Structure formats: structure tokens, C-alpha cells
Amino acid sequence: MRHLTYLGLLAACLVGTAPLEILLRTQVYSRPRRLLLALLPGLLLGTAWDLYAVHAGHWSFADGYLIGLRLAGLPVEEILFFAVIPLCAVLTLEAVRRRRPDWLIGDEPSADNSSNGSDGMTRR
């Protein structure tokens, strides 16, 4: 059972933030392009950094906490980490925005661009 630890922690993060999408209607999953643009840079950079560090011998992973599936030499859980944790952060940020719309974070549409939705896409 110990081999499911890392995967279990990732699942717990997803389960813990899933209600935000449903209860607060954060619309994170309904904007896949925006979500992909938020997740992809960290996923690519984090995976590349880990590949370098593992192959250079800077660190390794305790196999006892992993399911054993590897992609390009990295545990699948580690690659999932770079998608799951930022996804949970985006869900949390969007939930805060729903509850506190007066808190500005810098990606709000400008006043002269009022036809844009919250994702910056023009609506017709």
C-alpha cells in the first residue's frame, strides 16, 4: 500500500479542490485553452529540470512510495505533480476570485475591452 503514497497525495489534492469547481462555479475546466496555457510551462520546465537532476545524480526517488511506472526515467507521479499541483492552485485562485471579485490579480479585462470574457477571449 505504501507504493500508492505519492499518487494518493496527488489524488487528495484533486479531491480537496474539486468542490471549488462545482460549488463556486470557477469554470476552470470549461476553459481548457486557458488552463493549458497556465499548466504547460511549469509542466515542461519542471519535467526538464527533474530529468536533468535525476540523470546528473543530484536526487532520486524512493521506489517504495511509487507505483513503478516511469516515463523518460521519471516516475509518472512526479510528472503528474507538475500538472496536479498547479491545477489545484488555479482552482483555488479562481475560487478566491469568485468570493472576492474586488481582489485584482492583473489579468482582468480592461475597461476599453468590455466585450472580452474573463479569459480575454472576445465574445460574440
Side-chain angles (χ1 to χ4, degrees), residues 85-123:
I85 299 306
L87 170 60
C88 294
V90 169
L91 280 163
T92 303
L93 173 65
E94 292 299 332
V96 170
R97 290 175 82 164
R98 292 293 260 165
R99 300 293 294 158
R100 297 297 304 260
D102 54 317
W103 287 7
L104 303 179
I105 64 167
D107 72 340
E108 297 80 12
S110 61
D112 62 338
N113 229 353
S114 60
S115 66
N116 285 352
S118 63
D119 61 0
M121 302 296 290
T122 302
R123 305 285 185 239

